[in-house]
Amino acid sequence: MTPTPVGFTFADLPSNLVDTTMASSIARFSLSPVAMAAVLAFATAAQAQTTTLQPVTITGRGDPVIDVGGWGDVPLSKSPFQASVLSREQMRDLGVQRLADVTRVDPAVSDAYNTEGYWDYLTIRGFVLDNRYNYRRDGLPINAETSIPLANKDSVEIFKGTSGLQAGTAAPGGLANFVVKRPTNDALRTVSLEWRQAGTVRGAVDISQRFGESNAFGVRVNAALEHLDPRVNEAKGNAQLLSVAGDWRIAPDSLLEAEIETSHRSQPSVPGFSLLGGSVPAPVDPRINLNNQPWSLPVVFDGTTASVRFTQRLNADWRVVAHAATQRLTTDDRIAFPYGCGAEGNFDRYCSDGTFDLYDYRSENEKRTTDALQVALNGKLDTGGIAHTLSAGVLRSQFKARFQQQAFNYVGSGNVQGTAVTPADPSLTADSTNRDETSTELFVRDAIKLNPMTTVWLGLRHTHLSRSSVDTSGNSGPSYSQGINTPGIALSHEYAGGQVAYASWGQAVESLVTPGLPAYGTQAGQPLKALKSRQIEIGFKGRFDEGTWNLAWFDIDKPEATDTGTAYFVDGSRRHRGIEANAAWQHDRWIVQGGAQFLHARREGSQDATVNGQRPTNVPAATLKLQARHDLQAVRGLSLQGDFVAESDRTLLPTDGSLRIPGWARIDASLRYAQPTSAGLINWRVGIDNLLDRRAWRESPYQFGHVYLFPLAARTIRVGLELAL
């Protein structure tokens, strides 16, 4: 089997290796009433009469189906879009522990304010994904303003480009979808243990079993326990996960699935560095943590997510799927936060002498809930000799955010050496904003096969939004409703033995509202016209004797909004035009895969002439990512892998492109040894990230009206073993 370039990742290859995860104990978990009800419903179903649905054997494949793409069972190689998949085996080999780690394998994906101890941000094609709207879990919307555990995830899918057909409101870069592990057909027992510099220890278990008549019932349990001690000072913490997934093959044409996960993570976060006056400082020791006051408290993430999915096959061509999910998040967000230099009148950078204003920030007991229900009908039909692959449905989702008052109090000056000590001030002095949102989305998609080689892809999603807010003092904020249509169209043609060329046009939409403050006059609280981004993409995908390749050119135009403090209006756009290329090659004992993206991103059409022509901040113009794996013939079971990541420079300020951080490159190396034993298969893994201990600024996000600089992590050694019983 030859690998398929699913973005910049190794293809899933048939293997007798099984999943990794183990934990000795899990404590302090509580289940929401809705989540508990989902588990009880499945348990009750398991008591009922079993049926004779035959098991379906799933083996490794090099041409996956991307669920988040929205086109059903169409494989990625035939789909009119670009996407990538990071499988569970790849995550184990690369030492992936969090969402931010996926930036090392796809050239279109990069960092966007990723730091230890906080939730992760991704940039795709130069646009930062919105953590409230651009993330999915098994295809349903979730809130990613939390730490999302990966121990119970089968894969992470990255959809690239505008997503008007796949999502309601979302930033235009793309979507990230977490695919949950489900019961396997064969019994699975996996135990794993990992140590990582400086002293992080992680244990996990992954157990799957089928039972009942004709193996009609299946259950899978994942548990993980971590002591966190990374190569950053003052950042020790802990994390736990417990998840259970089950299914019941009610009848040959009926399948019920349910799952629940509950997780906890507690760890101090690590703030960024910044400009020192008007200069870009040399890269610092990445082990320094500026959040190191005696009163610094950890950020705490607690989350429970559960879902139930029922699939009914109506006949050989049609099926209906009902899928419901609920997510309950609780967060204590706390940090000794460096922000600006009042002494020099600069509030977007640190002082020239390396000092900065330090604030005691605390926002505790934040509550975020997301509920979603989707019902979809999928099928095929012929009309006058023309084949249609149809999908239609409705998605209803509801989001609520409830907060307490916040502390954001000046407590003195810090310094970039991390040696200053200041008093605490936890006084609750600032209001927060409680938010409610309800979304109803109707969608229809049709892949029309005009002939065996040519397909027209048509789709339309209608979204009706209702949003409202009120601050913690009881003052009402903006409240509005909005209806939005997002069509999409593509044309694909197969040629020369399965090679595919396609062209597509699509949209993404964002809904913004003017702040409800008196300074905005009659505009206060009023929504802007829906900001519709549009994308044109031309792509090619193909295979050769021992590999695969793809190439895409895209042009995304995103309207931008400007807030002057007294007016809020659409003010020109951001134009991102780029080329992305990927290839994978497998020969004998070698697998080599690589990808590159070249991006021309500019600000256009603004009333502020100083920003026109500027490159957006924190967006590299060129990215190169390579991976190579070799199975040694001399030592059976031993594989060596090398990874290379390089990114060009990034700008720091929206109005001055001359201030930049230099480009950088990093090499990672790892090995895996598969050792058969009488107890089972043991996989030993050793990896060194940032092998040469390169010092560089990794990214430069302009966030909260402030320039931040995050260094490359120091060289880190990791050692793990995995026992498949």
Side-chain angles (χ1 to χ4, degrees):
M1 177 183 293
T2 56
T4 297
V6 287
F8 181 51
T9 57
F10 289 141
D12 292 338
L13 298 175
S15 172
N16 59 354
L17 303 178
V18 290
D19 243 0
T20 139
T21 47
M22 165 217 133
S24 56
S25 63
I26 298 293
R28 300 173 45 217
F29 288 118
S30 61
L31 305 184
S32 72
V34 176
M36 182 63 79
V39 172
L40 290 176
F42 178 78
T44 301
Q47 306 294 323
Q49 180 180 354
T50 61
T51 61
T52 59
L53 182 68
Q54 295 300 311
V56 177
T57 301
I58 299 175
T59 60
R61 66 184 181 216
D63 195 3
V65 172
I66 306 300
D67 293 339
V68 75
W71 289 105
D73 296 331
V74 179
L76 179 57
S77 65
K78 309 294 185 184
S79 302
F81 55 78
Q82 296 292 323
S84 65
V85 178
L86 190 66
S87 70
R88 63 181 180 273
E89 183 177 340
Q90 293 169 284
M91 288 190 272
R92 291 194 301 266
D93 288 343
L94 293 170
V96 170
Q97 294 294 308
R98 50 185 287 201
L99 178 63
D101 292 335
V102 307
T103 60
R104 69 177 69 181
V105 293
D106 190 314
V109 183
S110 59
D111 292 291
Y113 198 90
N114 283 326
T115 185
E116 191 76 41
Y118 204 56
W119 62 59
D120 297 324
Y121 294 89
L122 294 182
T123 294
I124 301 179
R125 292 185 171 178
F127 293 103
V128 179
L129 302 192
D130 190 322
N131 282 45
R132 296 170 298 173
Y133 302 115
N134 285 74
Y135 291 84
R136 298 293 185 268
R137 187 175 181 276
D138 281 341
L140 292 184
I142 59 169
N143 187 295
E145 295 172 310
T146 189
S147 175
I148 297 176
L150 297 181
N152 69 323
K153 304 303 187 295
D154 197 60
S155 63
V156 179
E157 299 176 348
I158 300 295
F159 176 90
K160 291 177 272 191
T162 53
S163 57
L165 288 182
Q166 293 78 18
T169 56
L175 299 172
N177 182 49
F178 301 93
V179 180
V180 174
K181 290 179 181 177
R182 301 287 177 170
T184 56
N185 287 311
D186 298 324
L188 180 149
R189 306 285 188 274
T190 304
V191 177
S192 65
L193 183 66
E194 180 181 291
W195 172 88
R196 182 182 300 244
Q197 244 181 325
T200 294
V201 179
R202 175 181 182 269
V205 295
D206 187 358
I207 300 171
S208 183
Q209 181 69 49
R210 301 210 70 83
F211 57 95
E213 184 181 345
S214 301
N215 284 333
F217 298 102
V219 65
R220 187 164 186 176
V221 177
N222 279 268
L225 185 66
E226 293 181 84
H227 167 72
L228 303 169
D229 185 8
R231 296 210 68 194
V232 180
N233 301 329
E234 311 295 336
K236 293 183 179 180
N238 60 86
Q240 300 101 43
L241 165 74
L242 176 63
S243 70
V244 181
D247 65 36
W248 177 25
R249 296 164 175 170
I250 302 171
D253 295 327
S254 305
L255 176 65
L256 176 65
E257 301 167 283
E259 55 83 24
I260 185 170
E261 73 176 44
T262 184
S263 63
H264 168 84
R265 187 181 184 95
S266 175
Q267 186 182 18
S269 62
V270 180
F273 293 81
S274 189
L275 290 170
L276 301 184
S279 65
V280 179
V284 299
D285 183 345
R287 294 168 293 186
I288 295 174
N289 186 357
L290 302 180
N291 178 26
N292 63 347
Q293 296 298 314
W295 45 268
S296 294
L297 295 171
V299 178
V300 180
F301 297 111
D302 287 296
T304 299
T305 306
S307 70
V308 177
R309 179 168 58 194
F310 178 72
T311 303
Q312 178 65 48
R313 188 170 60 188
L314 304 178
N315 56 39
D317 294 325
W318 290 89
R319 64 176 180 171
V320 62
V321 181
H323 193 185
T326 182
Q327 181 191 45
R328 300 289 184 267
L329 305 176
T330 301
T331 303
D332 293 331
D333 192 352
R334 304 174 293 205
I335 187 175
F337 192 54
Y339 190 89
C341 176
E344 296 179 359
N346 293 321
F347 298 97
D348 63 351
R349 65 195 71 184
Y350 297 165
C351 301
S352 304
D353 62 359
T355 61
F356 48 75
D357 297 344
L358 190 67
Y359 293 81
D360 186 344
Y361 174 75
R362 309 185 190 209
S363 178
E364 300 186 340
N365 198 33
E366 299 178 351
K367 303 284 189 182
R368 297 176 175 89
T369 66
T370 303
D371 298 303
L373 171 63
Q374 178 173 283
V375 179
L377 178 66
N378 306 290
K380 299 179 180 180
L381 59 83
D382 288 333
T383 57
I386 296 177
H388 298 259
T389 300
L390 291 163
S391 176
V394 58
L395 169 63
R396 174 81 169 180
S397 59
Q398 186 175 47
F399 170 75
K400 293 183 179 181
R402 297 292 182 267
F403 303 105
Q404 313 297 317
Q405 283 196 311
Q406 299 177 346
F408 189 67
N409 304 315
Y410 175 76
V411 292
S413 294
N415 61 58
V416 294
Q417 292 79 32
T419 58
V421 177
T422 69
D425 185 0
S427 305
L428 301 178
T429 56
D431 278 322
S432 299
T433 301
N434 297 323
R435 303 191 307 275
D436 289 89
E437 176 176 331
T438 300
S439 173
T440 302
E441 303 168 37
L442 305 174
F443 59 88
V444 60
R445 293 183 286 264
D446 187 7
I448 307 170
K449 205 166 188 63
L450 301 180
N451 56 54
M453 310 300 288
T454 305
T455 303
V456 175
W457 311 76
L458 302 174
L460 175 67
R461 180 177 291 259
H462 172 76
T463 303
H464 185 269
L465 293 173
S466 294
R467 293 176 176 172
S468 62
S469 63
V470 58
D471 68 26
T472 48
S473 293
N475 300 311
S476 296
S479 177
Y480 71 100
S481 296
Q482 197 169 43
I484 304 163
N485 294 316
T486 47
I489 185 172
L491 175 68
S492 66
H493 180 73
E494 295 186 35
Y495 65 97
Q499 321 300 317
V500 174
Y502 70 88
S504 66
W505 175 91
Q507 293 182 326
V509 64
E510 296 169 284
S511 180
L512 303 179
V513 62
T514 306
L517 300 175
Y520 292 87
T522 58
Q523 191 190 8
Q526 298 300 310
L528 298 181
K529 183 179 179 181
L531 275 63
K532 286 190 175 183
S533 305
R534 68 104 183 102
Q535 173 183 270
I536 299 171
E537 180 172 309
I538 298 174
F540 302 88
K541 302 179 180 183
R543 292 178 176 270
F544 52 95
D545 287 345
E546 296 180 311
T548 54
W549 60 275
N550 62 55
L551 175 69
W553 171 87
F554 57 88
D555 183 339
I556 304 174
D557 193 19
K558 174 187 180 296
E560 289 284 273
T562 289
D563 187 349
T564 67
T566 59
Y568 195 50
F569 54 93
V570 177
D571 185 31
S573 67
R574 279 174 59 176
R575 187 86 174 268
H576 289 207
R577 285 168 285 188
I579 295 175
E580 178 189 341
N582 298 281
W585 172 75
Q586 178 182 6
H587 177 72
D588 195 17
R589 295 177 176 271
W590 283 94
I591 299 178
V592 180
Q593 190 157 337
Q597 178 178 268
F598 302 94
L599 183 64
H600 183 272
R602 293 295 185 270
R603 188 76 160 82
E604 298 179 349
S606 173
Q607 296 182 16
D608 182 358
T610 63
V611 305
N612 287 327
Q614 298 288 349
R615 192 207 308 178
T617 59
N618 202 31
V619 175
T623 304
L624 174 65
K625 300 181 181 180
L626 303 173
Q627 295 178 323
R629 189 174 80 197
H630 179 61
D631 298 329
L632 272 69
Q633 186 173 9
V635 183
R636 183 180 177 87
L638 181 62
S639 299
L640 304 179
Q641 181 165 320
D643 306 278
F644 177 77
V645 178
E647 295 187 354
S648 66
D649 61 2
R650 302 185 185 214
T651 60
L652 278 70
L653 295 169
T655 58
D656 183 1
S658 64
L659 286 175
R660 303 182 181 189
I661 58 172
W664 54 268
R666 186 187 78 233
I667 297 174
D668 304 330
S670 60
L671 64 84
R672 180 181 69 188
Y673 177 58
Q675 178 187 7
T677 70
S678 58
L681 180 68
I682 300 178
N683 280 298
W684 300 87
R685 290 182 173 89
V686 178
I688 304 177
D689 298 330
N690 194 5
L691 178 67
L692 304 180
D693 203 20
R694 175 71 186 275
R695 294 289 173 89
W697 294 119
R698 171 173 49 88
E699 60 160 327
S700 57
Y702 187 79
Q703 190 122 334
F704 318 118
H706 196 285
V707 174
Y708 286 103
L709 301 174
F710 289 101
L712 276 177
R715 178 170 52 214
T716 303
I717 300 172
R718 50 186 168 85
V719 180
L721 67 87
E722 165 192 291
L723 175 60
L725 301 175

